Amino acid sequence: PVMMRRLLVPLAAAALAAPAALAQRGDRPRGPQAADSLIALAQHTARLGDTSRALELLEGATRAAPEYAPAFYQRGVLLSRASRLGFGDVMQRRSAGNQLERALQLDPDNPRYLVELGRLRLKTPFLRIDAERLFSRALKAAQRS
């Protein structure tokens, strides 16, 4: 299994890099499939520790499919998880919130999106009540689906 993994990881990375390479050449693949490829590559890149590159890939995913909620959600999650509690990362949290809110505009009753936005609100002073409201809304949405 370990040997197989060593062989498959580079192959998967190469396959996922194709949409990114096309995007750099100017031949931008469009649509949810292109966005999914960029999201997968961004997640792999983030696991390797390159958050900046992962954010660039996710931005590419949002451009490739501007009406595709998962691209905005994933970018918001990465920005949110990289921020800290308090006033220090206000701009990053604001950007994360914008991404998550866009995902919610596209998919309004997605419980995962609501929970993530609530988690982000918990990191922001004075927004804990809003977080509680989002968690309640997420629970109701999950129960409906």
Side-chain angles (χ1 to χ4, degrees):
V2 173
M3 183 60 112
M4 182 66 88
R5 185 174 179 193
R6 287 185 187 155
L7 293 172
L8 290 177
V9 168
L11 288 173
L16 292 171
L22 285 172
Q24 288 176 349
R25 283 197 342 232
D27 302 334
R28 297 201 172 155
R30 311 269 320 146
Q33 287 181 331
D36 282 338
S37 294
L38 290 168
I39 290 168
L41 183 57
Q43 290 171 331
H44 177 73
T45 303
R47 280 191 296 275
L48 294 175
D50 192 349
T51 305
S52 297
R53 178 69 181 136
L55 286 169
E56 289 172 10
L57 291 165
L58 290 169
E59 185 176 340
T62 63
R63 282 193 310 268
E67 301 298 317
Y68 189 54
F72 292 95
Y73 168 73
Q74 292 298 330
R75 190 157 195 275
V77 166
L78 189 56
L79 285 165
S80 175
R81 304 261 168 99
S83 70
R84 295 185 202 97
L85 177 66
F87 292 107
D89 291 335
V90 172
M91 295 307 289
Q92 184 168 336
R93 280 196 309 274
R94 180 176 292 153
S95 182
N98 290 341
Q99 297 295 303
L100 293 168
E101 286 170 5
R102 177 67 178 140
L104 277 167
Q105 285 175 348
L106 297 169
D107 188 1
D109 284 326
N110 190 308
R112 287 182 300 140
Y113 300 178
L114 291 163
V115 167
E116 194 60 42
L117 189 56
R119 290 179 65 183
L120 178 63
R121 296 292 192 254
L122 286 175
K123 291 182 179 183
T124 306
F126 310 114
L127 292 181
R128 295 194 193 290
I129 292 172
D130 190 41
E132 185 177 316
R133 180 187 60 79
L134 286 163
F135 291 139
S136 176
R137 188 173 153 203
L139 178 60
K140 289 175 186 169
Q143 289 170 335
R144 281 192 305 270
S145 64

